Amino acid sequence: MNNQSIEFQNIKEDSSSPGIVRKSFRIPIEDKENVWVLINKKRYSVRDISTCGVGILLENNSRFIIEQALLNCEFSIFNVSIKKLNGKIVHLSFDKGGNLQCGIQWIDMEKKIADQISEIVFKMKEQLLKNGNISVE
């Protein structure tokens, strides 16, 4: 019998657990008309937002691939428009309803833009946790 306590014993890895770990809080977006991203001149509804990216809904015939670079995107959230964003596709999956969803990570952001997005997400998170309503004013 092994005398080591459970805290010091190696635990077998669970091969069925996913390798994706979220590093930031994602805010769900209800207002699909006023929160969107423009990629290659096509507008996509934003499903959720974090300080470092967005989740969008795609048509099932979309031609995105994981690690694909997205150049010169525009992100619009309520009355704020942020242009010249670069990103990359970090995941593609189907949600419970069978809709194709995509995660985009913003890359190489200027500090001013990163701060602007962080401030918006922080305000939205506060409102969501406080009363469940989201707006940016």
Side-chain angles (χ1 to χ4, degrees):
M1 184 169 172
N2 190 344
N3 291 334
Q4 282 186 322
S5 71
I6 190 82
E7 292 89 13
F8 298 109
Q9 292 180 6
N10 287 332
I11 299 173
K12 293 180 184 176
E13 286 193 35
D14 182 3
S15 61
S16 65
S17 66
I20 299 172
V21 176
R22 296 247 183 253
K23 295 179 182 171
S24 59
F25 188 86
R26 291 192 169 270
I27 308 291
I29 301 296
E30 298 295 326
D31 188 350
K32 306 285 191 237
E33 291 298 313
N34 290 311
V35 184
W36 47 268
V37 65
L38 191 67
I39 303 168
N40 298 327
K41 299 180 184 176
K42 182 168 177 159
R43 187 171 155 167
Y44 296 90
S45 295
V46 173
R47 174 178 215 143
D48 54 41
I49 178 178
S50 74
T51 56
C52 56
V54 294
I56 61 173
L57 290 174
L58 300 174
E59 297 167 0
N60 287 340
N61 62 351
S62 292
R63 307 238 185 236
F64 290 126
I65 58 172
I66 293 177
E67 296 294 320
Q68 178 179 347
L70 304 172
L71 304 177
N72 202 24
C73 301
E74 179 180 346
F75 175 49
S76 180
I77 182 159
F78 301 104
N79 60 347
V80 178
S81 181
I82 302 169
K83 298 181 179 184
K84 297 183 181 179
L85 284 168
N86 295 322
K88 72 175 178 177
I89 305 292
V90 291
H91 82 81
L92 293 165
S93 61
F94 289 95
D95 66 11
K96 293 177 184 176
N99 301 306
L100 185 59
Q101 57 188 359
C102 171
I104 299 171
Q105 178 183 19
W106 302 128
I107 56 174
D108 303 325
M109 281 191 292
E110 295 177 10
K111 182 173 178 359
K112 178 181 173 184
I113 292 173
D115 289 347
Q116 184 180 21
I117 291 173
S118 291
E119 183 179 336
I120 290 168
V121 171
F122 180 76
K123 285 179 183 178
M124 292 174 71
K125 180 179 174 183
E126 276 187 327
Q127 288 175 349
L128 179 66
L129 296 176
K130 181 178 178 182
N131 59 14
N133 296 327
I134 297 176
S135 65
V136 177
E137 301 193 28

